[in-house]
Amino acid sequence: MTINRLIINKNNMRGQYFKKLLGFIVIYSYLRKVFNRNNDMKKIRNLIVITISALLVACATKPQYNYVKVTGGGNICYEEKGKGTPLILLHGHSLDMRMWDGQFDEFAKHYRTIRLDFRGYGKSSEQIEGFQFTHVDDLITLMDSLRIARANIVGLSMGGFIAGDLLAMHPERIKKCVLASGSIRRGSKGPSEPMDSKEHSKRDAEIKALSEKGVDVMKSEWIDALVNGGGSKRESIRKPLGKMIGEWTAWQPQNKEARLYYAKDAWEQLTTKRPKTPVLMLHGETENKKGMPKEAFYLPNFTRYTLPDCGHMMNMEQPEAFNSVVLKFLGR
């Protein structure tokens, strides 16, 4: 896997730098002709310095996306920054790694921070109907490829489902775990229970209904639901959510997904293993989560915290407060 990752990264970087170099050559050649008419060599020298400096800045500031090969011929896109203990950020459904824009640079000051697009989202490859895989297995492949034995894990919503799967199935791969507005889907079927004829029929009906309703309408309603469930700063997240959800292919609601989470299978493992991994469960105040979650009874080092004045998308709505709580839990 490491060899595949290096080949993909090398080809990707070559293509990016070739495009920049080609653009530099074209612009320089044109302007050189202009300045040559006046025989102004000093201006030409200055032009070379300025253009090369601009090129170096562009190369340094533009995100460098990398890819790892996963099962079924798929690719997972990721970005990393910083040094030290690995910290991996897991995004929510219909979104992508950009939902962590308010955390990525800040966390990278303290950790080797990695954010990724899961299969079917962002820059990663699309899912294939009928092909069985799980998001957590793709995450393990990424960690193995980057030679990460253990990492701090922060997952929100769908990312929390995946973090919960990892916590239950592979607790030895986690140093500390943050489950934000999402945990193990203990009420859902895992890969051990394939979709039966009744479920196939139900999904056919749901897909047909969505086709009649329209994907754009569904996306608009989904954005409204995420925004309207927030706190006083909820409107600040409408634009970034709209951009990510607008660019989302919406493959998932229009097709029959595989069992992407270990779900019930993971819950069984969690209740049996009772991992000692330190776990922080976060919820936004306006989510109105009451009572002690069941995870608390099976996790000896469990902590729960409610973040004030925010909803489901707490990290986007209250980034400074979210960052402070998470960094304190992780030990910074």
Side-chain angles (χ1 to χ4, degrees), residues 4-21:
N4 289 332
R5 176 174 66 87
L6 291 174
I7 291 173
I8 293 172
N9 292 352
K10 189 174 182 180
N11 290 338
N12 185 43
M13 293 177 65
R14 280 177 177 172
Q16 291 175 354
Y17 286 118
F18 178 75
K19 289 178 181 178
K20 291 184 175 73
L21 182 59

Side-chain angles (χ1 to χ4, degrees), residues 122-133:
K123 297 181 182 297
S124 291
S125 57
E126 196 59 271
Q127 297 178 30
I128 301 173
E129 189 166 283
F131 179 76
Q132 177 60 54
F133 74 98

Side-chain angles (χ1 to χ4, degrees), residues 225-234 237 286 309-313 317:
L226 291 174
V227 172
N228 294 339
S232 63
K233 296 182 179 180
R234 58 184 176 270
I237 67 175
T286 59
D309 191 23
C310 59
H312 191 69
M313 300 306 303
E317 197 176 351

Side-chain angles (χ1 to χ4, degrees), residues 279-283 288-293 296 302-306:
V279 175
L280 170 64
M281 180 172 282
L282 290 176
H283 285 105
N288 294 315
K289 297 291 183 179
K290 306 295 184 182
M292 184 62 68
F302 178 88
T303 304
R304 183 184 178 187
Y305 183 79
T306 298

Side-chain angles (χ1 to χ4, degrees), residues 31-41 44:
L31 293 178
R32 188 173 186 274
K33 290 180 181 179
V34 173
F35 286 125
N36 260 341
R37 294 171 186 169
N38 300 319
N39 294 318
D40 196 335
M41 295 307 297
I44 293 175

Side-chain angles (χ1 to χ4, degrees), residues 256-279:
K256 296 176 183 177
E257 282 191 297
R259 303 290 197 206
L260 302 182
Y261 315 100
Y262 280 99
K264 286 182 179 180
D265 302 336
W267 183 252
E268 182 178 350
Q269 289 292 313
L270 184 81
T271 57
T272 300
K273 295 178 180 177
R274 298 174 181 250
K276 296 181 180 180
T277 308
V279 175

